[in-house]
Amino acid sequence: KEFFVNQALCLLDSLHARSVVASRPAPPASAGEGEAYRVTAPATDVWSGREDRIAVLIGGEWHFIEPAEGMLLFDRDAGQLVMFRSQW
Protein backbone atom coordinates (compact mmCIF):
# COMPACT_ATOMS: atom_id res chain seq x y z
CA LYS A 1 0.00 0.00 0.00
CA GLU A 2 2.78 2.42 0.87
CA PHE A 3 4.21 2.35 -2.68
CA PHE A 4 0.84 3.12 -4.26
CA VAL A 5 0.15 5.96 -1.83
CA ASN A 6 3.59 7.45 -2.49
CA GLN A 7 3.09 7.06 -6.26
CA ALA A 8 -0.30 8.78 -6.09
CA LEU A 9 1.13 11.63 -4.02
CA CYS A 10 4.00 12.07 -6.50
CA LEU A 11 1.52 12.25 -9.40
CA LEU A 12 -0.58 14.83 -7.56
CA ASP A 13 2.52 16.83 -6.69
CA SER A 14 3.66 16.82 -10.34
CA LEU A 15 0.29 17.89 -11.74
CA HIS A 16 -0.99 20.38 -9.19
CA ALA A 17 0.92 23.18 -10.97
CA ARG A 18 -0.92 22.29 -14.21
CA SER A 19 2.23 22.67 -16.24
CA VAL A 20 4.65 20.47 -18.17
CA VAL A 21 8.35 20.99 -18.82
CA ALA A 22 7.84 20.56 -22.58
CA SER A 23 5.90 18.74 -25.29
CA ARG A 24 7.91 16.06 -27.07
CA PRO A 25 7.62 12.64 -28.79
CA ALA A 26 10.37 10.91 -26.76
CA PRO A 27 11.72 11.07 -23.22
CA PRO A 28 14.53 13.55 -22.63
CA ALA A 29 18.05 12.22 -22.14
CA SER A 30 18.00 13.43 -18.55
CA ALA A 31 14.81 14.24 -16.68
CA GLY A 32 14.39 15.14 -13.04
CA GLU A 33 12.28 13.22 -10.58
CA GLY A 34 8.64 14.36 -10.79
CA GLU A 35 9.06 16.22 -14.08
CA ALA A 36 6.04 16.07 -16.40
CA TYR A 37 6.00 16.14 -20.22
CA ARG A 38 3.18 16.17 -22.78
CA VAL A 39 3.67 13.26 -25.20
CA THR A 40 3.30 14.27 -28.85
CA ALA A 41 2.97 12.18 -32.02
CA PRO A 42 4.71 10.16 -33.23
CA ALA A 43 5.74 8.92 -29.79
CA THR A 44 8.87 6.76 -29.67
CA ASP A 45 11.02 4.77 -27.26
CA VAL A 46 9.28 3.97 -23.95
CA TRP A 47 6.62 6.56 -24.82
CA SER A 48 5.53 4.65 -27.94
CA GLY A 49 1.73 4.42 -28.17
CA ARG A 50 1.26 7.05 -25.43
CA GLU A 51 0.45 10.05 -27.62
CA ASP A 52 -1.57 12.86 -25.97
CA ARG A 53 -0.82 11.56 -22.47
CA ILE A 54 1.19 13.29 -19.76
CA ALA A 55 4.38 11.44 -18.82
CA VAL A 56 5.68 11.86 -15.26
CA LEU A 57 9.01 10.43 -14.05
CA ILE A 58 8.58 8.73 -10.66
CA GLY A 59 11.17 6.47 -9.09
CA GLY A 60 13.13 6.31 -12.35
CA GLU A 61 10.11 5.03 -14.34
CA TRP A 62 7.67 6.86 -16.60
CA HIS A 63 4.01 6.93 -15.53
CA PHE A 64 1.31 8.12 -17.92
CA ILE A 65 -1.81 10.13 -17.20
CA GLU A 66 -4.80 10.21 -19.54
CA PRO A 67 -5.92 13.84 -19.96
CA ALA A 68 -9.50 14.84 -19.22
CA GLU A 69 -11.62 16.76 -21.73
CA GLY A 70 -11.04 20.49 -21.19
CA MET A 71 -7.78 19.96 -19.28
CA LEU A 72 -5.56 23.03 -19.49
CA LEU A 73 -1.76 22.91 -19.13
CA PHE A 74 1.04 25.42 -19.47
CA ASP A 75 3.93 24.21 -21.64
CA ARG A 76 6.93 25.97 -20.07
CA ASP A 77 9.28 25.29 -23.00
CA ALA A 78 6.86 26.71 -25.59
CA GLY A 79 5.58 29.44 -23.25
CA GLN A 80 1.93 28.74 -24.08
CA LEU A 81 -1.24 27.21 -22.72
CA VAL A 82 -2.58 24.03 -24.33
CA MET A 83 -6.08 22.59 -23.90
CA PHE A 84 -7.22 19.00 -24.41
CA ARG A 85 -10.32 18.73 -26.62
CA SER A 86 -10.15 15.15 -27.95
CA GLN A 87 -6.54 16.09 -28.70
CA TRP A 88 -4.17 18.87 -27.63
Side-chain angles (χ1 to χ4, degrees):
K1 284 184 180 181
E2 183 178 327
F3 172 77
F4 294 109
V5 170
N6 287 339
Q7 180 183 12
L9 291 173
C10 287
L11 287 171
L12 286 172
D13 194 39
S14 293
L15 292 176
H16 88 280
R18 294 186 181 242
S19 70
V20 292
V21 173
S23 299
R24 47 183 35 221
S30 62
E33 182 72 13
E35 287 187 345
Y37 292 84
R38 185 173 66 92
V39 182
T40 59
T44 60
D45 199 26
V46 297
W47 290 3
S48 183
R50 307 288 185 150
E51 289 87 352
D52 288 334
R53 290 186 176 89
I54 301 162
V56 181
L57 187 65
I58 300 173
E61 294 185 20
W62 290 104
H63 297 264
F64 300 93
I65 299 156
E66 186 79 33
E69 188 71 17
M71 184 177 205
L72 192 63
L73 292 175
F74 182 72
D75 182 321
R76 295 192 307 260
D77 185 55
Q80 65 184 13
L81 288 169
V82 292
M83 179 183 280
F84 187 78
R85 302 285 302 237
S86 301
Q87 63 184 17
W88 293 102

Coordinates of all heavy atoms in Angstrom, one line a residue:
K1 N 0.8 -1.2 0.0 CA 0.0 0.0 0.0 C 0.9 1.3 0.0 O 0.5 2.2 -0.7 CB -0.9 0.0 1.2 CG -2.1 -0.9 1.1 CD -3.0 -0.7 2.3 CE -4.2 -1.6 2.3 NZ -5.0 -1.4 3.4
E2 N 2.0 1.2 0.7 CA 2.8 2.4 0.9 C 3.3 2.9 -0.5 O 3.3 4.1 -0.8 CB 4.0 2.1 1.8 CG 4.8 3.4 2.0 CD 6.0 3.1 3.0 OE1 5.8 2.2 3.9 OE2 7.0 3.7 2.8
F3 N 3.7 2.0 -1.4 CA 4.2 2.4 -2.7 C 3.1 3.1 -3.5 O 3.4 4.1 -4.1 CB 4.7 1.1 -3.4 CG 5.1 1.4 -4.9 CD1 6.2 2.1 -5.2 CD2 4.2 1.1 -5.9 CE1 6.5 2.4 -6.5 CE2 4.5 1.4 -7.2 CZ 5.7 2.1 -7.5
F4 N 1.9 2.5 -3.5 CA 0.8 3.1 -4.3 C 0.4 4.5 -3.7 O 0.1 5.4 -4.5 CB -0.4 2.2 -4.3 CG -0.1 0.9 -5.1 CD1 0.0 -0.3 -4.4 CD2 0.1 0.9 -6.4 CE1 0.3 -1.5 -5.1 CE2 0.4 -0.2 -7.1 CZ 0.5 -1.4 -6.4
V5 N 0.5 4.7 -2.4 CA 0.1 6.0 -1.8 C 1.2 7.0 -2.2 O 0.9 8.1 -2.6 CB 0.0 5.9 -0.3 CG1 -0.1 7.2 0.3 CG2 -1.2 5.0 0.1
N6 N 2.5 6.6 -2.1 CA 3.6 7.4 -2.5 C 3.5 7.8 -4.0 O 3.8 8.9 -4.4 CB 4.9 6.8 -2.2 CG 5.2 6.8 -0.7 OD1 4.7 7.6 0.1 ND2 6.1 5.9 -0.3
Q7 N 3.2 6.8 -4.8 CA 3.1 7.1 -6.3 C 2.0 8.1 -6.5 O 2.1 9.0 -7.3 CB 2.8 5.8 -7.0 CG 2.7 5.9 -8.5 CD 2.4 4.6 -9.2 OE1 2.0 3.6 -8.6 NE2 2.5 4.6 -10.5
A8 N 0.8 7.9 -5.9 CA -0.3 8.8 -6.1 C 0.1 10.2 -5.6 O -0.3 11.2 -6.3 CB -1.5 8.3 -5.3
L9 N 0.7 10.3 -4.5 CA 1.1 11.6 -4.0 C 2.1 12.3 -5.0 O 2.1 13.5 -5.2 CB 1.7 11.5 -2.6 CG 0.7 11.2 -1.5 CD1 1.4 10.9 -0.2 CD2 -0.4 12.2 -1.4
C10 N 3.0 11.5 -5.5 CA 4.0 12.1 -6.5 C 3.3 12.6 -7.7 O 3.6 13.6 -8.3 CB 5.0 11.0 -6.9 SG 6.2 10.7 -5.6
L11 N 2.3 11.8 -8.2 CA 1.5 12.3 -9.4 C 0.8 13.6 -9.1 O 0.8 14.5 -9.9 CB 0.5 11.2 -9.8 CG 1.2 10.0 -10.5 CD1 0.1 8.9 -10.7 CD2 1.8 10.3 -11.9
L12 N 0.1 13.6 -7.9 CA -0.6 14.8 -7.6 C 0.4 16.0 -7.4 O 0.1 17.1 -7.9 CB -1.3 14.6 -6.2 CG -2.6 13.8 -6.3 CD1 -3.1 13.5 -4.9 CD2 -3.6 14.4 -7.1
D13 N 1.5 15.8 -6.9 CA 2.5 16.8 -6.7 C 3.0 17.3 -8.1 O 3.2 18.5 -8.3 CB 3.7 16.3 -5.9 CG 4.6 17.4 -5.4 OD1 4.1 18.5 -5.0 OD2 5.8 17.2 -5.4
S14 N 3.2 16.4 -9.0 CA 3.7 16.8 -10.3 C 2.6 17.6 -11.1 O 2.9 18.5 -11.9 CB 4.0 15.6 -11.1 OG 5.2 15.0 -10.6
L15 N 1.3 17.3 -10.9 CA 0.3 17.9 -11.7 C -0.4 19.1 -11.1 O -1.2 19.8 -11.8 CB -0.7 16.8 -12.1 CG -0.2 15.8 -13.1 CD1 -1.3 14.7 -13.3 CD2 0.2 16.4 -14.4
H16 N -0.2 19.3 -9.8 CA -1.0 20.4 -9.2 C -0.7 21.7 -9.8 O -1.5 22.6 -9.8 CB -0.8 20.4 -7.7 CG 0.3 21.1 -7.2 ND1 1.6 20.6 -7.2 CD2 0.4 22.4 -6.7 CE1 2.4 21.5 -6.7 NE2 1.8 22.6 -6.4
A17 N 0.5 21.9 -10.3 CA 0.9 23.2 -11.0 C 0.3 23.4 -12.4 O 0.3 24.4 -12.9 CB 2.4 23.3 -11.1
R18 N -0.3 22.3 -12.9 CA -0.9 22.3 -14.2 C 0.0 22.8 -15.3 O -0.3 23.6 -16.1 CB -2.2 23.1 -14.2 CG -3.3 22.5 -13.3 CD -4.6 23.2 -13.5 NE -5.5 22.6 -12.6 CZ -6.6 22.0 -13.0 NH1 -6.9 22.0 -14.3 NH2 -7.5 21.4 -12.2
S19 N 1.3 22.3 -15.2 CA 2.2 22.7 -16.2 C 3.1 21.5 -16.6 O 3.2 20.5 -15.8 CB 3.1 23.8 -15.8 OG 4.0 23.5 -14.8
V20 N 3.7 21.5 -17.7 CA 4.7 20.5 -18.2 C 5.9 21.2 -18.5 O 6.0 22.4 -18.9 CB 4.1 19.6 -19.4 CG1 2.9 18.8 -18.9 CG2 3.8 20.5 -20.5
V21 N 7.0 20.4 -18.5 CA 8.3 21.0 -18.8 C 8.4 21.3 -20.3 O 8.8 22.4 -20.7 CB 9.5 20.0 -18.5 CG1 10.8 20.5 -19.0 CG2 9.5 19.8 -17.0
A22 N 7.8 20.4 -21.1 CA 7.8 20.6 -22.6 C 6.9 19.5 -23.2 O 6.4 18.6 -22.5 CB 9.2 20.4 -23.1
S23 N 6.7 19.7 -24.5 CA 5.9 18.7 -25.3 C 6.9 18.1 -26.2 O 7.6 18.8 -27.0 CB 4.8 19.5 -26.1 OG 3.9 20.1 -25.2
R24 N 6.9 16.8 -26.2 CA 7.9 16.1 -27.1 C 7.5 14.6 -27.4 O 6.6 14.1 -26.6 CB 9.3 16.1 -26.4 CG 9.3 15.7 -25.0 CD 10.6 15.8 -24.3 NE 11.5 16.9 -24.7 CZ 12.8 16.8 -24.9 NH1 13.4 15.6 -24.7 NH2 13.5 17.8 -25.4
P25 N 8.0 14.0 -28.4 CA 7.6 12.6 -28.8 C 8.4 11.5 -28.1 O 8.1 10.4 -28.2 CB 7.9 12.6 -30.3 CG 9.0 13.6 -30.5 CD 8.8 14.6 -29.5
A26 N 9.5 11.9 -27.4 CA 10.4 10.9 -26.8 C 10.9 11.5 -25.4 O 11.0 12.7 -25.3 CB 11.5 10.5 -27.7
P27 N 11.2 10.6 -24.5 CA 11.7 11.1 -23.2 C 13.0 11.8 -23.4 O 13.8 11.5 -24.3 CB 11.9 9.8 -22.4 CG 11.5 8.7 -23.3 CD 11.1 9.1 -24.6
P28 N 13.3 12.8 -22.6 CA 14.5 13.5 -22.6 C 15.7 12.7 -22.1 O 15.5 11.7 -21.4 CB 14.3 14.7 -21.7 CG 13.3 14.3 -20.7 CD 12.4 13.3 -21.5
A29 N 16.9 13.0 -22.6 CA 18.1 12.2 -22.1 C 18.2 12.2 -20.6 O 18.6 11.2 -20.0 CB 19.3 12.8 -22.8
S30 N 17.9 13.4 -20.0 CA 18.0 13.4 -18.6 C 16.8 14.2 -18.0 O 16.6 15.4 -18.4 CB 19.3 14.1 -18.1 OG 19.4 15.4 -18.6
A31 N 16.0 13.6 -17.3 CA 14.8 14.2 -16.7 C 14.9 14.1 -15.2 O 15.4 13.2 -14.6 CB 13.5 13.6 -17.2
G32 N 14.4 15.1 -14.5 CA 14.4 15.1 -13.0 C 13.2 14.4 -12.5 O 12.1 14.3 -13.1
E33 N 13.4 13.9 -11.3 CA 12.3 13.2 -10.6 C 11.1 14.1 -10.5 O 11.2 15.3 -10.1 CB 12.8 12.8 -9.2 CG 11.8 12.1 -8.4 CD 11.5 10.6 -8.9 OE1 12.3 10.1 -9.7 OE2 10.6 10.0 -8.4
G34 N 9.9 13.6 -10.9 CA 8.6 14.4 -10.8 C 8.4 15.3 -12.0 O 7.3 15.9 -12.0
E35 N 9.3 15.4 -12.9 CA 9.1 16.2 -14.1 C 8.0 15.6 -15.0 O 7.9 14.4 -15.2 CB 10.3 16.4 -14.9 CG 11.3 17.4 -14.2 CD 12.5 17.7 -15.1 OE1 12.8 17.1 -16.1 OE2 13.2 18.7 -14.7
A36 N 7.1 16.5 -15.5 CA 6.0 16.1 -16.4 C 6.2 16.6 -17.8 O 6.7 17.7 -18.0 CB 4.7 16.6 -15.8
Y37 N 5.9 15.8 -18.8 CA 6.0 16.1 -20.2 C 4.7 15.8 -20.9 O 4.1 14.7 -20.6 CB 7.2 15.4 -20.9 CG 8.5 15.8 -20.4 CD1 9.1 15.3 -19.2 CD2 9.2 16.8 -21.1 CE1 10.3 15.7 -18.8 CE2 10.5 17.2 -20.7 CZ 11.0 16.7 -19.5 OH 12.2 17.1 -19.0
R38 N 4.3 16.5 -21.9 CA 3.2 16.2 -22.8 C 3.7 15.4 -24.0 O 4.6 15.8 -24.7 CB 2.5 17.4 -23.3 CG 1.2 17.1 -24.1 CD 0.5 18.4 -24.4 NE 1.2 19.3 -25.3 CZ 1.1 19.3 -26.6 NH1 0.2 18.4 -27.2 NH2 1.8 20.1 -27.3
V39 N 3.2 14.2 -24.1 CA 3.7 13.3 -25.2 C 3.0 13.6 -26.5 O 1.8 13.6 -26.6 CB 3.4 11.8 -24.8 CG1 4.0 10.9 -25.9 CG2 4.0 11.4 -23.5
T40 N 3.8 13.9 -27.5 CA 3.3 14.3 -28.9 C 3.5 13.1 -29.8 O 4.3 12.2 -29.6 CB 4.0 15.6 -29.4 OG1 5.4 15.3 -29.5 CG2 3.7 16.7 -28.5
A41 N 2.8 13.2 -31.0 CA 3.0 12.2 -32.0 C 4.1 12.6 -32.9 O 4.4 13.7 -33.2 CB 1.7 12.1 -32.8
P42 N 4.8 11.6 -33.5 CA 4.7 10.2 -33.2 C 5.6 9.8 -32.1 O 6.8 10.0 -32.1 CB 5.2 9.5 -34.5 CG 6.2 10.5 -35.0 CD 5.7 11.9 -34.6
A43 N 5.0 9.3 -31.0 CA 5.7 8.9 -29.8 C 6.7 7.7 -30.1 O 6.3 6.8 -30.8 CB 4.8 8.6 -28.7
T44 N 7.9 7.8 -29.5 CA 8.9 6.8 -29.7 C 9.5 6.3 -28.3 O 9.1 6.9 -27.3 CB 10.0 7.3 -30.6 OG1 10.6 8.4 -29.9 CG2 9.5 7.7 -31.9
D45 N 10.3 5.3 -28.4 CA 11.0 4.8 -27.3 C 10.0 4.3 -26.2 O 9.0 3.7 -26.6 CB 11.9 5.8 -26.7 CG 13.0 5.3 -25.8 OD1 13.4 4.1 -26.0 OD2 13.5 6.0 -24.9
V46 N 10.2 4.5 -25.0 CA 9.3 4.0 -23.9 C 7.9 4.7 -24.0 O 7.0 4.3 -23.3 CB 9.9 4.0 -22.5 CG1 11.1 3.1 -22.5 CG2 10.2 5.4 -22.1
W47 N 7.9 5.8 -24.7 CA 6.6 6.6 -24.8 C 5.8 6.1 -26.0 O 4.7 6.6 -26.2 CB 6.9 8.1 -25.0 CG 7.4 8.7 -23.7 CD1 7.7 8.1 -22.5 CD2 7.7 10.1 -23.5 NE1 8.1 9.0 -21.6 CE2 8.2 10.3 -22.2 CE3 7.6 11.2 -24.4 CZ2 8.6 11.5 -21.7 CZ3 8.0 12.4 -23.9 CH2 8.5 12.6 -22.6
S48 N 6.2 5.1 -26.8 CA 5.5 4.7 -27.9 C 4.1 4.2 -27.6 O 3.9 3.5 -26.6 CB 6.3 3.5 -28.5 OG 5.6 3.0 -29.7
G49 N 3.1 4.7 -28.4 CA 1.7 4.4 -28.2 C 1.1 5.2 -27.1 O -0.1 5.0 -26.7
R50 N 1.8 6.2 -26.5 CA 1.3 7.0 -25.4 C 1.0 8.5 -25.8 O 1.0 9.4 -25.0 CB 2.3 7.1 -24.3 CG 2.7 5.7 -23.8 CD 1.6 5.0 -23.1 NE 2.1 3.7 -22.5 CZ 1.7 3.2 -21.4 NH1 0.7 3.7 -20.8 NH2 2.2 2.1 -21.0
E51 N 0.7 8.7 -27.1 CA 0.5 10.1 -27.6 C -0.7 10.7 -26.8 O -1.6 10.0 -26.4 CB 0.1 10.0 -29.1 CG 1.2 9.7 -30.0 CD 1.5 8.2 -30.2 OE1 0.8 7.4 -29.6 OE2 2.3 7.9 -31.1
D52 N -0.6 12.0 -26.7 CA -1.6 12.9 -26.0 C -1.6 12.7 -24.5 O -2.4 13.3 -23.8 CB -3.0 12.7 -26.5 CG -3.1 13.3 -27.9 OD1 -2.3 14.3 -28.2 OD2 -4.0 12.9 -28.7
R53 N -0.8 11.8 -23.9 CA -0.8 11.6 -22.5 C 0.2 12.5 -21.8 O 1.1 13.0 -22.5 CB -0.6 10.1 -22.1 CG -1.7 9.2 -22.5 CD -1.5 7.8 -22.0 NE -2.7 7.0 -22.3 CZ -2.8 6.3 -23.4 NH1 -2.0 6.3 -24.4 NH2 -3.9 5.5 -23.6
I54 N 0.2 12.5 -20.5 CA 1.2 13.3 -19.8 C 2.1 12.2 -19.1 O 1.6 11.3 -18.4 CB 0.5 14.2 -18.7 CG1 -0.4 15.2 -19.4 CG2 1.6 14.9 -17.9 CD1 -1.4 15.8 -18.5
A55 N 3.4 12.4 -19.4 CA 4.4 11.4 -18.8 C 5.0 12.1 -17.6 O 5.5 13.2 -17.7 CB 5.4 11.1 -19.9
V56 N 5.1 11.4 -16.5 CA 5.7 11.9 -15.3 C 6.7 10.8 -14.8 O 6.4 9.6 -14.7 CB 4.6 12.1 -14.1 CG1 5.3 12.6 -12.9 CG2 3.5 13.0 -14.6
L57 N 7.9 11.3 -14.5 CA 9.0 10.4 -14.0 C 8.9 10.3 -12.5 O 9.1 11.3 -11.8 CB 10.4 11.0 -14.4 CG 11.6 10.1 -14.2 CD1 11.5 8.8 -15.0 CD2 12.9 10.9 -14.4
I58 N 8.7 9.0 -12.1 CA 8.6 8.7 -10.7 C 9.4 7.5 -10.4 O 9.2 6.4 -11.0 CB 7.1 8.5 -10.2 CG1 6.3 9.7 -10.5 CG2 7.0 8.1 -8.7 CD1 4.8 9.5 -10.3
G59 N 10.3 7.6 -9.5 CA 11.2 6.5 -9.1 C 12.0 5.9 -10.3 O 12.2 4.7 -10.3
G60 N 12.3 6.8 -11.2 CA 13.1 6.3 -12.4 C 12.3 5.7 -13.5 O 12.9 5.2 -14.4
E61 N 11.0 5.6 -13.3 CA 10.1 5.0 -14.3 C 9.1 6.1 -14.8 O 8.6 6.9 -14.0 CB 9.4 3.8 -13.8 CG 10.3 2.7 -13.5 CD 9.5 1.4 -13.0 OE1 8.3 1.3 -13.3 OE2 10.1 0.6 -12.4
W62 N 8.7 6.0 -16.1 CA 7.7 6.9 -16.6 C 6.3 6.3 -16.3 O 6.0 5.2 -16.5 CB 7.8 7.0 -18.1 CG 9.1 7.8 -18.4 CD1 10.2 7.3 -18.9 CD2 9.3 9.2 -18.3 NE1 11.2 8.3 -19.1 CE2 10.6 9.5 -18.7 CE3 8.5 10.2 -17.9 CZ2 11.1 10.8 -18.7 CZ3 9.0 11.5 -17.9 CH2 10.3 11.8 -18.3
H63 N 5.4 7.2 -15.8 CA 4.0 6.9 -15.5 C 3.2 7.9 -16.4 O 3.6 9.0 -16.6 CB 3.7 7.1 -14.1 CG 4.5 6.2 -13.2 ND1 3.9 5.0 -12.7 CD2 5.7 6.3 -12.7 CE1 4.8 4.4 -12.0 NE2 5.9 5.2 -11.9
F64 N 2.1 7.4 -16.9 CA 1.3 8.1 -17.9 C -0.1 8.4 -17.4 O -0.8 7.6 -16.8 CB 1.2 7.3 -19.2 CG 2.6 7.1 -19.8 CD1 3.3 5.9 -19.5 CD2 3.2 8.0 -20.6 CE1 4.6 5.7 -20.0 CE2 4.5 7.8 -21.1 CZ 5.2 6.6 -20.8
I65 N -0.5 9.7 -17.7 CA -1.8 10.1 -17.2 C -2.6 10.5 -18.4 O -2.2 11.2 -19.3 CB -1.6 11.4 -16.3 CG1 -0.8 11.0 -15.1 CG2 -3.0 11.9 -15.9 CD1 -0.1 12.1 -14.4
E66 N -3.8 9.9 -18.5 CA -4.8 10.2 -19.5 C -5.4 11.6 -19.3 O -6.0 11.8 -18.2 CB -5.9 9.1 -19.5 CG -6.8 9.2 -20.7 CD -6.3 8.6 -22.0 OE1 -5.5 7.7 -21.9 OE2 -6.6 9.1 -23.0
P67 N -5.3 12.5 -20.2 CA -5.9 13.8 -20.0 C -7.4 13.8 -20.0 O -8.0 13.0 -20.7 CB -5.4 14.7 -21.1 CG -5.1 13.7 -22.2 CD -4.7 12.4 -21.5
A68 N -8.0 14.7 -19.2 CA -9.5 14.8 -19.2 C -9.9 15.9 -20.2 O -9.2 16.9 -20.5 CB -10.0 15.2 -17.8
E69 N -11.1 15.8 -20.8 CA -11.6 16.8 -21.7 C -11.6 18.1 -21.1 O -12.1 18.3 -19.9 CB -13.0 16.4 -22.2 CG -13.6 17.2 -23.3 CD -13.0 16.9 -24.6 OE1 -12.3 15.9 -24.8 OE2 -13.1 17.8 -25.5
G70 N -11.1 19.1 -21.7 CA -11.0 20.5 -21.2 C -9.8 20.8 -20.3 O -9.7 21.9 -19.8
M71 N -9.0 19.8 -20.1 CA -7.8 20.0 -19.3 C -6.9 21.0 -19.9 O -6.6 21.1 -21.1 CB -7.0 18.7 -19.2 CG -5.8 18.7 -18.2 SD -5.1 17.0 -18.2 CE -4.3 17.1 -16.6
L72 N -6.4 21.9 -19.1 CA -5.6 23.0 -19.5 C -4.2 22.9 -18.8 O -4.1 22.7 -17.6 CB -6.2 24.3 -19.1 CG -5.7 25.6 -19.7 CD1 -5.9 25.7 -21.2 CD2 -6.5 26.8 -19.0
L73 N -3.1 23.0 -19.6 CA -1.8 22.9 -19.1 C -0.9 24.0 -19.7 O -1.2 24.5 -20.8 CB -1.1 21.6 -19.6 CG -1.6 20.3 -19.0 CD1 -0.8 19.1 -19.7 CD2 -1.4 20.2 -17.5
F74 N 0.1 24.4 -19.0 CA 1.0 25.4 -19.5 C 2.3 24.7 -19.9 O 2.9 23.9 -19.1 CB 1.4 26.5 -18.4 CG 2.3 27.5 -18.9 CD1 1.9 28.5 -19.8 CD2 3.6 27.6 -18.5 CE1 2.7 29.5 -20.3 CE2 4.5 28.5 -19.0 CZ 4.0 29.5 -19.9
D75 N 2.7 24.8 -21.1 CA 3.9 24.2 -21.6 C 5.0 25.2 -21.4 O 5.1 26.3 -22.1 CB 3.8 23.9 -23.1 CG 5.0 23.2 -23.7 OD1 6.1 23.6 -23.4 OD2 4.8 22.3 -24.6
R76 N 5.9 25.0 -20.4 CA 6.9 26.0 -20.1 C 8.0 26.2 -21.2 O 8.4 27.3 -21.4 CB 7.6 25.5 -18.8 CG 6.6 25.6 -17.6 CD 7.3 25.4 -16.3 NE 8.2 24.3 -16.1 CZ 7.9 23.2 -15.5 NH1 6.6 23.0 -15.0 NH2 8.7 22.2 -15.4
D77 N 8.3 25.2 -21.9 CA 9.3 25.3 -23.0 C 8.7 26.2 -24.1 O 9.4 27.0 -24.6 CB 9.7 23.9 -23.5 CG 10.8 24.0 -24.6 OD1 11.9 24.6 -24.3 OD2 10.6 23.5 -25.7
A78 N 7.5 25.9 -24.5 CA 6.9 26.7 -25.6 C 6.3 28.1 -25.1 O 6.1 29.0 -25.9 CB 5.7 25.9 -26.2
G79 N 6.1 28.2 -23.8 CA 5.6 29.4 -23.2 C 4.1 29.7 -23.6 O 3.7 30.8 -23.8
Q80 N 3.3 28.6 -23.7 CA 1.9 28.7 -24.1 C 1.0 27.8 -23.4 O 1.5 26.7 -22.9 CB 1.8 28.6 -25.6 CG 2.1 27.2 -26.1 CD 2.0 27.1 -27.6 OE1 1.9 28.1 -28.3 NE2 2.0 25.9 -28.1
L81 N -0.2 28.1 -23.3 CA -1.2 27.2 -22.7 C -1.7 26.3 -23.8 O -1.9 26.6 -25.0 CB -2.4 28.0 -22.2 CG -2.2 28.8 -20.9 CD1 -3.4 29.7 -20.6 CD2 -2.0 27.8 -19.7
V82 N -2.0 25.0 -23.4 CA -2.6 24.0 -24.3 C -3.8 23.4 -23.6 O -3.8 23.2 -22.4 CB -1.6 22.9 -24.7 CG1 -0.5 23.5 -25.6 CG2 -1.0 22.2 -23.5
M83 N -4.9 23.2 -24.4 CA -6.1 22.6 -23.9 C -6.4 21.3 -24.6 O -6.2 21.2 -25.8 CB -7.3 23.5 -24.1 CG -8.6 23.0 -23.6 SD -10.0 24.0 -23.9 CE -9.8 25.2 -22.5
F84 N -6.8 20.3 -23.8 CA -7.2 19.0 -24.4 C -8.7 19.0 -24.8 O -9.6 19.2 -23.9 CB -6.9 17.9 -23.4 CG -7.1 16.5 -24.0 CD1 -6.2 16.0 -24.9 CD2 -8.3 15.8 -23.8 CE1 -6.4 14.7 -25.4 CE2 -8.5 14.5 -24.3 CZ -7.5 14.0 -25.2
R85 N -9.0 18.8 -26.1 CA -10.3 18.7 -26.6 C -10.3 17.6 -27.6 O -10.2 17.8 -28.8 CB -10.8 20.0 -27.3 CG -10.7 21.3 -26.4 CD -11.9 21.3 -25.5 NE -13.1 21.3 -26.1 CZ -14.1 22.1 -26.0 NH1 -13.9 23.2 -25.3 NH2 -15.2 22.0 -26.6
S86 N -10.3 16.4 -27.2 CA -10.1 15.1 -27.9 C -8.7 15.0 -28.4 O -8.3 13.9 -28.8 CB -11.1 15.1 -29.2 OG -12.4 15.2 -28.7
Q87 N -8.0 16.1 -28.5 CA -6.5 16.1 -28.7 C -6.0 17.4 -28.2 O -6.8 18.3 -27.9 CB -6.2 15.9 -30.2 CG -6.8 17.0 -31.1 CD -6.5 16.7 -32.5 OE1 -6.2 15.6 -32.9 NE2 -6.6 17.7 -33.3
W88 N -4.7 17.6 -28.1 CA -4.2 18.9 -27.6 C -4.2 19.9 -28.7 O -4.0 19.6 -29.9 CB -2.8 18.7 -27.1 CG -2.7 17.8 -25.9 CD1 -2.4 16.5 -25.8 CD2 -3.0 18.2 -24.5 NE1 -2.4 16.1 -24.5 CE2 -2.8 17.1 -23.7 CE3 -3.4 19.4 -24.0 CZ2 -3.1 17.1 -22.3 CZ3 -3.7 19.4 -22.6 CH2 -3.5 18.3 -21.8

